[in-house]
Amino acid sequence: LPRGGLLPMTWPALRSLRRIVVTGALCSRGIEACQLLFVSGRSSTIDDVIFNSLGAAIGGIMFFAPRAA
């Protein structure tokens, strides 16, 4: 959620909901890949990537909501 709200504040090029979700998904995928490769005893699931992407989408919607009103 914070990533979706902070990305467009920090980088104006990411002021698109689609770009926010894609960036959130790629970051989450990278984190899960690192956990799978470097942290023993940690399992990596697609659910984590999906829910982190959903959180980025909700954060992006919350960023754009006051501007739409």
Side-chain angles (χ1 to χ4, degrees):
L1 188 72
R3 187 178 300 130
L6 294 176
L7 281 175
M9 283 189 222
T10 331
W11 288 296
L14 294 176
R15 290 199 176 150
S16 155
L17 188 58
R18 180 178 179 192
R19 289 181 182 179
I20 291 170
V21 173
V22 168
T23 304
L26 290 174
C27 288
S28 180
R29 183 176 164 197
I31 291 168
E32 291 299 318
C34 288
Q35 286 179 353
L36 181 65
L37 295 173
F38 302 117
V39 180
S40 63
R42 174 82 179 163
S43 63
S44 179
T45 63
I46 192 68
D47 291 342
D48 293 336
V49 176
I50 292 170
F51 288 127
N52 288 338
S53 302
L54 183 61
I58 292 170
I61 290 169
M62 290 173 64
F63 175 78
F64 292 118
R67 299 167 199 274

